[in-house]
Every structure is written in C-alpha cells, then in structure tokens.
Amino acid sequence: MNKKRIIKDYFDLPEDVLTEIKLEYPFGFSDNLITYTSKDGKKISALLYETDEYYYLARMTKQEAIDIIDEDEDYDEDGNLSDEFIEEYSE
C-alpha cells in the first residue's frame, strides 16, 4: 500500500495532526527537519510525520521551527512539551 503524501505549511495542518506531531516531537522540531528539492528545483525544509495512512511534510525553516516552539504555550521555556499536554493527549 502506498501512503498518500501531504505537504503543507505547519499551521495549515489539521489540529489533530498538530497534536500528534507535538507528541512525536516533545523536544521541538528544529533538529528533526529534513531537506528536499521541490519539483521546481527549490530546496525546502520540512518536518516528517508518518501515520498508518499518510506521510506528512510540515514545511518550515529551522528558524520557524524554533519560533513555533518558543511561542507555543504547550512547550515550556526550555522547549520541552509540558507534562500536562502529554498526559491530556497521550493514549
């Protein structure tokens, strides 16, 4: 079975996918970015997240990845996902 690939900017992903991404990357995103070349030959960085049905590529630069964590209230001042968030959304 081939998984469908979804490439979107981070903030354009559905809220439930954002929650799953946070749980997958509780210490931030910037060290987990991959780089690929678009069909137009442009280098793009993104965060890979895989489910049973999809490959998500959440586009963001390294600086955007840092800013997202800095501004997200679900992460503490050290860039770690809060225990409260983990407890609330973990299965």
Side-chain angles (χ1 to χ4, degrees):
M1 175 175 119
N2 288 331
K3 292 184 184 184
K4 184 175 179 181
R5 295 179 185 187
I6 298 175
I7 303 171
K8 290 188 173 189
D9 291 335
Y10 177 79
F11 290 109
D12 292 336
L13 293 170
E15 194 65 36
D16 62 322
V17 173
L18 294 177
T19 298
E20 293 172 20
I21 288 173
K22 289 178 184 182
L23 292 170
E24 180 76 17
Y25 298 99
F27 306 110
F29 312 137
S30 62
D31 292 335
N32 299 292
L33 298 178
I34 62 167
T35 303
Y36 66 95
T37 304
S38 72
K39 63 182 178 182
D40 301 329
K42 183 178 176 184
K43 293 276 187 193
I44 302 192
S45 61
L47 183 69
L48 176 63
Y49 176 68
E50 182 179 355
T51 68
D52 291 337
E53 298 176 13
Y54 300 103
Y55 288 112
Y56 289 96
L57 285 172
R59 290 183 299 230
M60 66 181 82
T61 65
K62 186 167 182 113
Q63 186 58 54
E64 287 172 330
I66 293 167
D67 292 344
I68 288 168
I69 299 304
D70 285 346
E71 296 171 8
D72 191 325
E73 294 179 1
D74 295 327
Y75 287 85
D76 64 20
E77 61 277 350
D78 295 323
N80 300 315
L81 194 57
S82 71
D83 291 337
E84 293 82 19
F85 185 91
I86 293 170
E87 289 173 14
E88 182 174 348
Y89 293 102
S90 290
E91 297 179 323

